[in-house]
Amino acid sequence: ASGEFSLSEGAPAGSGALCRFAVELEEILDRVATEEGHADAFEAAGELKARGSTAARAGKWRRAEALYTRAIQKVQEAIIEWKPPDEAKKDVERDLVVPLLLNVALCARKRRTYADEDVCLTKALGFAPRSRDAFPLVWYARAHLRRGAARADLERWADAVDDLKRAALDAKTVVEKKKYSDDDKKAAKSVYRDVRLTMDRLQKAKAAKNAAEKKTGSFETEYNDDWAYDDRSALSASKGYEATYH
């Protein structure tokens, strides 16, 4: 499915994601084949993404981020010139812009620029509203997990908890509903496990900050873990899967 995190942390940049991007790009080029300028812009975006992924595989995160950002700019310039119908514009944003934003977000995390990561993930979610069923539910679970982790690192505790809670709810839904595939369920269990790890990290960071600030009288109340699900649920099986988010 399009829009998957094509440079997942803990795994190398896979050729599968690049192939999906190439197929989606080819479909879009077919739509604008009679308008060469626009096709050139989309092709340039594809080349920039490929170069960005090469840089990412080499651990050159700043370079990769710059290339992915330039690719987004090329797509946006093409959209402005092309002036496609609204639905076609949304398709381009979903199929091309969202994967690029996710890759920029990953580069930002590797560089520890968490505010940029938060912005990119928020934009990606904005281009993929749930109302349009743009992506599988487990995709939204991981997107909220990633944004929750970024917000935890920014010490935006309440926003981080909201995202982590949404990720856990989505993961629980995927695991418990029969309509989802075994692969989706496996991914959802991994997301849920990572939510718990991220929540533990958040609570430790918050406790450390509270301890440091206690003398100033600005001590904050600890968050209640009442959103967490009973370990007897199906999600407890997630401990058998490796976490992919760090």
Side-chain angles (χ1 to χ4, degrees):
S2 64
E4 290 181 7
F5 299 97
S6 53
L7 286 173
S8 299
E9 289 171 287
S15 60
L18 291 177
C19 289
R20 286 193 295 274
F21 186 91
V23 170
E24 291 149 1
L25 181 60
E26 186 64 32
E27 292 174 352
I28 290 170
L29 289 176
D30 288 343
R31 300 180 205 167
V32 295
T34 58
E35 304 187 51
E36 186 176 349
H38 307 149
D40 287 347
F42 283 121
E43 286 177 346
E47 292 172 2
L48 286 165
K49 183 178 188 293
R51 289 168 58 193
S53 295
T54 298
R57 280 193 290 269
K60 299 178 180 178
W61 300 108
R62 186 183 296 276
R63 173 67 173 164
E65 184 174 337
L67 289 165
Y68 290 137
T69 300
R70 285 172 58 193
I72 292 171
Q73 292 170 344
K74 284 291 184 183
V75 173
Q76 292 175 331
E77 289 170 6
I79 289 174
I80 291 172
E81 294 175 4
W82 177 22
K83 295 182 177 63
D86 189 53
E87 283 303 309
K89 179 175 178 289
K90 290 178 180 178
D91 288 344
V92 171
E93 290 169 343
R94 179 196 64 208
D95 295 339
L96 301 187
V97 177
V98 168
L100 288 166
L101 283 169
L102 296 176
N103 286 352
V104 174
L106 175 59
C107 293
R109 167 147 292 271
K110 293 294 187 179
R111 295 178 55 232
R112 299 187 179 183
T113 51
Y114 304 121
D116 291 341
E117 181 186 18
D118 175 38
V119 168
C120 288
L121 291 168
T122 298
K123 287 182 178 179
L125 284 164
F127 283 131
R130 291 167 181 261
S131 59
R132 298 185 71 231
D133 293 324
F135 298 115
L137 186 58
V138 71
W139 182 95
Y140 292 98
R142 182 155 292 279
H144 282 285
L145 164 64
R146 288 182 60 173
R147 192 171 69 174
R151 290 176 170 181
D153 286 313
L154 291 169
E155 298 185 354
R156 292 171 54 185
W157 313 119
D159 290 336
V161 169
D162 285 345
D163 270 321
L164 295 172
K165 183 176 180 179
R166 173 60 67 90
L169 286 169
D170 287 343
K172 181 175 185 290
T173 298
V174 172
V175 169
E176 293 183 346
K177 299 292 184 182
K178 292 182 179 179
K179 67 179 181 178
Y180 294 104
S181 68
D182 289 342
D183 285 344
D184 281 347
K185 291 179 185 295
K186 180 178 179 179
K189 291 173 183 177
S190 175
V191 167
Y192 185 81
R193 180 168 183 251
D194 294 344
V195 166
R196 297 307 301 263
L197 292 172
T198 304
M199 190 65 184
D200 287 345
R201 180 168 62 85
L202 180 156
Q203 290 176 326
K204 289 177 182 177
K206 191 172 186 300
K209 183 179 180 182
N210 282 340
E213 294 180 345
K214 193 171 183 179
K215 292 181 181 180
T216 69
S218 59
F219 183 72
E220 299 179 29
T221 303
E222 285 291 333
Y223 278 104
N224 192 330
D225 195 22
D226 60 358
W227 61 270
Y229 298 103
D230 192 314
D231 287 342
R232 293 170 295 178
S233 72
L235 288 170
S236 63
S238 66
K239 62 186 178 183
Y241 295 97
E242 290 295 324
T244 56
Y245 185 89
H246 304 285

